[in-house]
Amino acid sequence: MIEAVDTAAFERDLRAAVRGEVHFEDAYRAMYSTDASNYRQVPIAVVLPLDEGDMIAAVNVAHDHGAPIVHRGGGTSLAGETCNDAIVIDSSKYLNNLLSVDYEARTARVQPGLVLDDLRNTAEKHGFTYGCAPSTHNRCTLGGMIGNNSCGMPAQKWGKTDQNLETLDILTYDGLRMTVGPTSPDEFKAIVAGGGRRAEIYQALKTLADEYGDRIRERFPDIPRRVSGFALDQLLPENGFNVARALVGTEGTCVTVLGAVVKLVPDPPYKALALVGFDDIATVGDHCAYAGSFGPIALEGMDSTLFQLMYQKGKNPHKQRDLFPEGDAWIVAQFGGETPEEAEAAADKMCAAIRARTDTVRGSRVTSDKHIMQEIFETREAGLGVTSKVPNESDFYPGWEDSAVDPERLGDYLRVFQKKLEEYGYQASIYGHFGQACVHCSINFDLFTAEGIAKYRKFVTEMAHVCVQFGGSLSGEHGDGQARGELLPIMYGDDLVDAFWKFKTIWDPQNKMNPGKVVHPHRLDENLRWGTQYEPREPETFFSFIEDRGSFAYAANRCVGAGVCRKHDKGTMCPSYMASKEEKYSTRGRARLLFEMLRGRPVEGGWKNEEVRESLDFCLACKACKHECPVNVDMATYKSEFLHHYYEGRMRPLHMWLFGYLFRWAKIAALAPDVANFFSQAPPFSTVLKRLAKIAPQRRIPMFAAQTFRQWFSRRAKRKGEAGRVLLWVDTWNEHFHPQTARAAVEVLEDAGYEVIIPPRQVCCGRPLYDYGLLAPAKRHLETIVADLRDAIRDGVPVVGLEPSCISVFKDEMQSLLNGDIDARRLAQQTYMLDTFLNDVATKREGYSVPKLMHKAVVHEHCHKKSVLDPTAESHAFDRMKLDAQFPDTGCCGMAGAFGFEAEHYSMSTACAERKLLPAVREASPQTIIVADGFSCREQIQQLSDRKALHPAEVLKLAVDRRGIDREEAYPESLFFPDEEARRRNIISRGYLAIAAAGAVLAGALIARRWMR
């Protein structure tokens, strides 16, 4: 099919017709070669249409050249329906608007790329919501939901996507545009009488419905979650000949969706959760149909294996597990009401009725606490990621993740399913939308060997027969795509599958719309992302990749494609994607590029590939992916490893040496800080320096302190402490730029009763070196640190740090680069951020409490604090202080070390800051303290706003100084911030005077010499 396309001519015409983005580059084709499924097909090109006109133009050019088309929204499909040997049209970047909302009619007009939560968040302000919400609700698109007939938890009450749709605005492959919906007999007659292609389509659909109507009525399962196949039942007269609903769930195989009018439903103002515990998941299934009779909004089932897998992945599941009542498997039902009491009463009623019905209940609980409900639902929604890439286990994959049966028979179906898993030696954590008997799971299939693939094929074929025996649908939510298309005859029979093909060809007679999916499909074991031909390079690496079986190839294959990194409403991952909506700047996009780089096609050149480098260049190394990604992709480490190899045998740019070795230049500058500051602050010298270092002209270069922390510390009297010693880790930033922060930390620790010691010499943790892939010197730094601190480490002296990016090195990079060093492991275990130390260690001593501070604060937490270190430590310490602290979801500050200073990153840096952080800072009152523990974060705030931020050490010092004062007072900034502008002006003026004086002396000497002749 692809061979018939003249790629050069196609590219020329596509670029001429489309105003948006057109990508034929290998990198884009690689990124869109797969979704969240097991399948991989490298596309011809990727188009990101700017508007509806672009979408139409792209389809028209594809038609003119005979190029197949596949549409893509969030790219989170699990059955392979959004990857194809075709032109990929991705509407999510630009064609993503909520066009209008009619709250009286309870409808909204949407574009296909609109993210579901953007619609829901708007509607909920007026008491409405959209009735479907898959677990991917913060990144899936309405167009993708229409393609898959998506459901999610609230479908229990409000139904599938097709039931929440009014009309579709569609475009056929051959260029016919029309709006479709329910069709009355009179409307049908008018359409046919009008003639033309539209009349042909409607007449053919009517003929199809008449021919197959009885078989459709007889053999379409009458269950709430029938998603497999095409919805030919919607063409029956009793269903209003609804052409729009018939197209829902066709997975882009029939038409292009240009827009839709969707329904809105009332959103109860208050909600409550009922949780009922049982011994096992099958027993949960026995009672879900009955539980559903009480009218819940959502009705889920899950078991304790989710918590076991969380524990194996290094997470702490105890907090979430404690939210559930006694039991090893649970019904989780949500109810709504006009008051909290009404919602709780409905939940209580269900719990009481189930207890009266059976003696198998082990425990129950009802809650209306919003935070608890959110935690419980987030635990359930994390199922796909939590059950993938489990350490010391086989990998788990989709493939039979979405079956649905008659709810009355769910328990028995689950028992047969579990028996079949045991028979095949498979494992699975089972959960899902049990109120509608939709079962989700990932299974440890072997998709790499011929034997394993044959076993997988046999298993899913047998399970398809089992599912049908229980009155089920092969898919209850995620669609058929390639994973289940081949199995549809088992469910429907060959004649109805032939009817599906006829339905498709009515719309797409040339078979150019997502060919090979659903009907006339590729085999379910074709086009596997891995398969027997998968043979990636296994390069030697500097990092040990302990969590990835020592394999960079395994690390690059870690991403499962769930697209959590594409969310843009909350969290920190992925800052550059949030600011740009660009796939190549998402964690998933970068992981795809690395995966394809190791395959060698279409991404060629290995470590030297420029497109991979450019994508990673805009990674801020925030490490949020390591924490927020459900499979813990660690893109910051991958970036560092890549850059190490990319520059092997190459000359590095000057700015990498200047920024990477800043700790060395800082030591030299400390010999004459005013001289260094003059040349970094005074034009034209500062201008030249910025150009050499590729610093954005808009940036101010931070000034070196007049006195380093060590100079101050060496001159002060040593103080003994009855609580013992602590070693204050003095990082480069607080040594040379902000020594007042380290001084504050010393006084706070001494106030807590500790004797403060510091390392014998100034050694950088090497954080700037990682950003540029300078791993050999970084490793030497770590070896020096362990050697210098060995005695203190073995004596069990706590190490307290101030800069999260430095302390995270001890917890993270050090463990990988010095893999096996027992003292490195000890150091990680006894290293704390200052506030964590005071909260977790110091407060355990009798007689000490964190000093109180009556004040308001807005706190921005460093990315590494939120990802590698304890993300809640500041909130706990500030709670003990009685500080009125708010922790807005500010994401990443965008500075990220040197990233935000570099000219080529300046726009991205400011876009990251403007997304959440700077608005929060600007909204804070002048009396509110702004707090940030990262040097970069404080610098970003200071450079892009009129505010300055305190380090937590300085807030604690303020509390120490004001101990006993129980009233709120404005804090003078002069306590912490010297007048840098006055100092800058003074240094510059004195520097110019010194140059002038030197010039005058030189001129005078030359004149005198000439006169003496």
Side-chain angles (χ1 to χ4, degrees):
M1 193 176 301
I2 293 179
E3 290 73 9
V5 178
D6 182 340
T7 305
F10 182 42
E11 179 176 0
R12 180 196 64 225
D13 292 349
L14 203 54
R15 292 191 185 281
V18 174
R19 294 179 297 111
E21 299 179 37
V22 176
H23 296 284
F24 280 77
E25 310 94 289
D26 290 339
Y28 270 89
R29 295 170 58 235
M31 285 188 294
Y32 284 81
S33 64
T34 188
D35 43 24
S37 72
N38 299 328
Y39 301 99
R40 172 184 177 270
Q41 292 172 274
V42 180
I44 303 169
V46 177
V47 173
L48 309 176
L50 197 61
D51 52 24
E52 188 178 89
D54 259 3
M55 179 85 91
I56 295 170
V59 172
N60 288 340
V61 173
H63 175 265
D64 292 344
H65 286 267
I69 294 172
V70 57
H71 286 282
R72 179 171 171 133
T76 59
S77 296
L78 291 166
E81 52 266 60
T82 58
C83 54
N84 213 321
D85 304 320
I87 169 178
V88 176
I89 301 180
D90 180 354
S91 59
S92 65
K93 187 172 183 180
Y94 300 114
L95 206 61
N96 55 15
N97 297 303
L98 173 57
L99 298 176
S100 64
V101 182
D102 185 337
Y103 290 109
E104 288 189 9
R106 298 185 178 183
T107 60
R109 184 175 295 277
V110 302
Q111 291 184 318
L114 177 69
V115 168
L116 173 59
D117 270 2
D118 291 346
L119 169 62
R120 295 172 76 212
N121 293 339
T122 298
E124 284 168 4
K125 295 175 184 176
H126 299 267
F128 293 93
T129 190
Y130 183 68
C132 306
S135 62
T136 55
H137 51 81
N138 60 0
R139 68 258 191 207
C140 71
T141 67
L142 269 296
M145 293 178 66
I146 290 166
N148 275 0
N149 201 5
S150 298
C151 307
M153 297 184 190
Q156 174 72 28
K157 184 174 183 65
W158 304 114
K160 306 186 296 293
T161 294
D162 59 358
Q163 296 165 275
N164 290 274
L165 181 74
E166 291 285 346
T167 61
L168 283 179
D169 188 9
I170 62 171
L171 178 72
T172 63
Y173 185 76
D174 53 9
L176 174 66
R177 178 176 180 175
M178 56 181 171
T179 299
V180 297
T183 314
S184 69
D186 289 343
E187 288 171 326
F188 179 83
K189 289 177 183 178
I191 290 170
V192 172
R197 174 82 168 108
R198 186 184 187 194
E200 291 176 5
I201 291 173
Y202 271 71
Q203 185 60 65
L205 293 175
K206 178 69 164 57
T207 301
L208 183 72
D210 291 343
E211 180 182 355
Y212 290 93
D214 290 341
R215 278 167 285 184
I216 292 169
R217 294 181 183 95
E218 176 187 351
R219 287 161 48 190
F220 270 44
D222 185 18
I223 58 174
R225 284 297 187 100
R226 178 185 51 76
V227 171
S228 277
F230 292 158
L232 301 186
D233 58 319
Q234 294 293 340
L235 298 177
L236 300 178
E238 59 265 35
N239 292 325
F241 197 77
N242 196 319
V243 178
R245 291 187 177 183
L247 286 168
V248 173
T250 54
E251 303 178 24
T253 61
C254 296
V255 298
T256 292
V257 174
L258 297 175
V261 175
V262 299
K263 293 181 179 180
L264 300 177
V265 297
D267 184 31
Y270 297 96
K271 298 181 179 70
L273 274 189
L275 299 99
V276 184
F278 298 89
D279 282 329
D280 58 78
I281 197 70
T283 307
V284 168
D286 290 334
H287 300 285
C288 279
Y290 178 70
S293 67
F294 291 86
I297 297 171
L299 180 52
E300 303 293 296
M302 57 178 287
D303 68 10
S304 60
T305 57
L306 280 174
F307 300 117
Q308 296 169 17
L309 295 173
M310 289 170 68
Y311 179 78
Q312 286 179 256
K313 298 184 83 166
K315 299 180 183 296
N316 181 4
H318 301 298
K319 179 181 177 183
Q320 288 89 343
R321 175 61 184 85
D322 291 344
L323 302 177
F324 288 75
E326 187 178 350
D328 289 308
W330 300 273
I331 289 175
V332 181
Q334 185 183 57
F335 292 86
E338 293 301 313
T339 65
E341 293 76 18
E342 182 181 341
E344 288 185 1
D348 280 325
K349 183 178 179 181
M350 188 203 78
C351 289
I354 293 176
R355 280 187 172 278
R357 184 176 190 247
T358 177
D359 59 1
T360 60
V361 174
R362 288 181 54 190
S364 63
R365 179 187 185 184
V366 170
T367 179
S368 59
D369 185 286
K370 290 183 179 179
H371 299 293
I372 292 176
M373 289 192 290
Q374 181 179 350
E375 287 245 23
I376 290 171
F377 275 131
E378 285 180 353
T379 300
R380 159 60 187 86
E381 290 175 350
L384 173 63
V386 167
T387 57
S388 303
K389 306 296 179 185
V390 182
N392 305 315
E393 295 280 358
S394 302
D395 288 338
F396 292 75
Y397 301 95
W400 190 255
E401 80 291 345
D402 196 29
S403 56
V405 297
D406 180 346
E408 295 287 350
R409 306 177 68 186
L410 176 59
D412 290 337
Y413 171 72
L414 290 174
R415 291 182 181 90
V416 175
F417 181 30
Q418 289 177 315
K419 186 176 180 180
K420 188 68 70 173
L421 289 170
E422 292 176 9
E423 177 186 333
Y424 275 79
Y426 287 142
Q427 294 175 286
S429 174
I430 299 173
Y431 57 96
H433 311 297
F434 277 18
Q436 297 183 328
C438 180
V439 180
H440 292 327
C441 65
S442 294
I443 300 174
N444 58 333
F445 297 123
D446 169 9
L447 300 177
F448 294 81
T449 68
E451 180 183 2
I453 294 168
K455 179 180 175 182
Y456 152 69
R457 180 182 181 86
K458 186 171 184 290
F459 173 82
V460 296
T461 302
E462 289 185 14
M463 278 308 305
H465 286 283
V466 170
C467 180
V468 171
Q469 290 167 10
F470 280 87
S473 173
L474 308 185
S475 173
E477 182 166 37
H478 297 150
D480 298 314
Q482 184 175 342
R484 286 172 282 276
E486 185 187 354
L487 303 174
L488 287 178
I490 297 172
M491 178 177 171
Y492 288 107
D494 291 335
D495 52 347
L496 282 181
V497 172
D498 286 342
F500 296 156
W501 176 251
K502 289 178 181 178
F503 179 81
K504 172 181 166 58
T505 55
I506 290 170
W507 299 101
D508 176 32
Q510 295 176 265
N511 190 26
K512 297 295 185 180
M513 296 298 295
N514 207 10
K517 311 296 176 175
V518 188
V519 286
H520 283 201
H522 300 295
R523 296 194 319 272
L524 61 85
D525 52 1
E526 281 185 289
N527 302 321
L528 290 174
R529 196 193 307 183
W530 307 282
T532 58
Q533 303 304 310
Y534 176 63
E535 189 179 4
R537 292 176 56 232
E538 282 283 7
E540 290 188 11
T541 58
F542 221 92
F543 284 105
S544 60
F545 292 101
I546 308 165
E547 297 170 352
D548 293 293
R549 306 173 185 176
S551 166
F552 186 76
Y554 185 87
N557 189 33
R558 179 172 282 275
C559 173
V560 296
V564 180
C565 51
R566 285 173 54 96
K567 60 181 171 49
H568 57 265
D569 56 341
K570 62 181 180 179
T572 303
M573 175 183 70
C574 174
S576 48
Y577 174 79
M578 286 184 175
S580 68
K581 305 296 187 295
E582 173 56 61
E583 178 75 11
K584 68 179 177 180
Y585 296 149
S586 70
T587 303
R588 182 178 72 180
R590 294 182 177 114
R592 290 282 180 263
L593 286 175
L594 292 169
F595 175 85
E596 296 290 345
M597 178 192 82
L598 295 180
R599 288 185 69 113
R601 292 183 58 200
V603 178
E604 300 177 347
W607 296 117
K608 307 300 181 183
N609 185 277
E610 283 296 329
E611 291 177 301
V612 178
R613 185 206 62 78
E614 193 276 336
S615 172
L616 291 170
D617 186 51
F618 279 83
C619 168
L620 283 78
C622 66
K623 284 192 172 288
C625 51
K626 186 167 186 176
H627 172 66
E628 294 180 25
C629 170
V631 290
N632 309 115
V633 169
D634 185 3
M635 194 53 62
T637 297
Y638 306 168
K639 172 185 177 179
S640 192
E641 184 72 47
F642 176 87
L643 290 176
H644 168 76
H645 296 281
Y646 177 85
Y647 282 107
E648 279 184 318
R650 290 181 172 180
M651 181 69 72
R652 288 178 181 268
L654 177 61
H655 76 280
M656 289 192 173
W657 298 107
L658 294 175
F659 281 124
Y661 284 90
L662 185 60
F663 51 88
R664 286 190 179 173
W665 317 131
K667 284 184 179 180
I668 296 172
L671 301 175
D674 283 355
V675 174
N677 286 329
F678 172 75
F679 285 105
S680 69
Q681 306 298 319
F685 309 105
S686 61
T687 305
V688 172
L689 179 58
K690 285 183 181 181
R691 287 178 180 171
L692 286 173
K694 294 189 175 181
I695 296 175
Q698 301 93 327
R699 289 296 188 188
R700 295 192 304 269
I701 300 175
M703 290 203 300
F704 295 99
Q707 182 189 49
T708 67
F709 168 77
R710 283 178 175 272
Q711 290 168 346
W712 172 84
F713 190 80
S714 65
R715 295 169 186 169
R716 73 189 299 269
K718 302 296 183 291
R719 301 184 188 178
K720 296 290 184 181
E722 70 278 7
R725 296 182 299 161
V726 295
L727 188 147
L728 181 66
W729 175 257
V730 187
D731 58 86
T732 297
W733 323 113
N734 290 309
E735 166 70 2
H736 293 286
F737 295 96
H738 288 179
Q740 68 273 17
T741 300
R743 293 199 296 266
V746 170
E747 296 185 37
V748 168
L749 287 168
E750 289 180 341
D751 177 76
Y754 292 92
E755 176 188 351
V756 179
I757 61 175
I758 62 175
R761 54 179 166 169
Q762 185 64 29
V763 180
C764 182
C765 70
R767 170 59 65 193
L769 298 170
Y770 300 105
D771 294 341
Y772 298 110
L774 292 159
L775 298 184
K779 183 175 183 179
R780 290 195 294 271
H781 274 251
L782 297 181
E783 291 169 341
T784 300
I785 289 169
V786 173
D788 284 358
L789 303 187
R790 198 174 305 279
D791 288 342
I793 292 170
R794 293 183 176 181
D795 287 344
V797 177
V799 177
V800 174
L802 304 173
E803 176 61 37
S805 63
C806 298
I807 298 307
S808 70
V809 169
F810 296 168
K811 303 279 190 180
D812 192 339
E813 286 88 354
M814 178 181 281
Q815 304 312 307
S816 184
L817 289 178
L818 303 186
N819 182 25
D821 189 308
I822 190 170
D823 286 322
R825 292 202 297 270
R826 288 169 176 152
L827 177 58
Q829 293 168 357
Q830 62 198 64
T831 298
Y832 307 84
M833 288 294 293
L834 172 65
D835 44 356
T836 308
F837 177 77
L838 293 176
N839 185 71
D840 295 352
V841 179
T843 53
K844 293 179 180 178
R845 286 195 309 106
E846 186 176 349
Y848 175 75
S849 61
V850 179
K852 308 296 186 289
L853 181 63
M854 300 290 291
H855 220 294
K856 290 184 173 63
V858 169
V859 184
H860 167 73
E861 294 179 305
H862 191 282
C863 295
H864 290 183
K865 179 75 173 296
K866 292 179 282 192
S867 56
V868 179
L869 309 176
D870 180 1
T872 61
E874 279 185 356
S875 61
H876 291 167
F878 286 169
D879 284 347
R880 289 179 185 271
M881 293 173 65
K882 304 301 181 184
L883 187 70
D884 184 5
Q886 296 180 357
F887 293 78
D889 186 10
T890 48
C892 176
C893 76
M895 186 65 93
F899 180 91
F901 282 97
E902 295 171 346
E904 62 183 327
H905 299 145
Y906 178 77
S907 295
M908 179 69 77
S909 172
T910 56
C912 291
E914 290 289 356
R915 197 183 65 82
K916 290 284 188 73
L917 173 60
L918 293 181
V921 169
R922 295 182 186 120
E923 289 169 8
S925 69
Q927 294 76 32
T928 299
I929 300 173
I930 308 298
V931 185
D933 52 10
F935 172 80
S936 295
C937 309
R938 299 197 298 279
E939 196 65 31
Q940 182 82 307
I941 291 168
Q942 183 172 342
Q943 294 210 16
L944 297 181
S945 75
D946 60 356
R947 299 299 302 272
K948 296 178 180 179
L950 295 181
H951 188 281
E954 295 166 318
V955 178
L956 288 159
K957 172 63 166 57
L958 184 61
V960 169
D961 291 344
R962 298 187 59 205
R963 183 181 271 114
I965 301 176
D966 59 359
R967 63 184 182 278
E968 181 175 337
E969 294 181 355
Y971 74 97
E973 288 194 349
S974 58
L975 281 175
F976 302 101
F977 301 113
D979 190 342
E980 286 193 352
E981 191 54 40
R983 183 177 173 228
R984 181 181 290 107
R985 290 195 300 268
N986 185 34
I987 288 171
I988 292 174
S989 62
R990 287 191 289 112
Y992 283 142
L993 286 174
I995 291 175
V1001 170
L1002 179 60
L1006 291 174
I1007 292 170
R1009 183 178 179 187
R1010 185 171 183 181
W1011 180 79
M1012 290 176 66
R1013 288 181 179 174

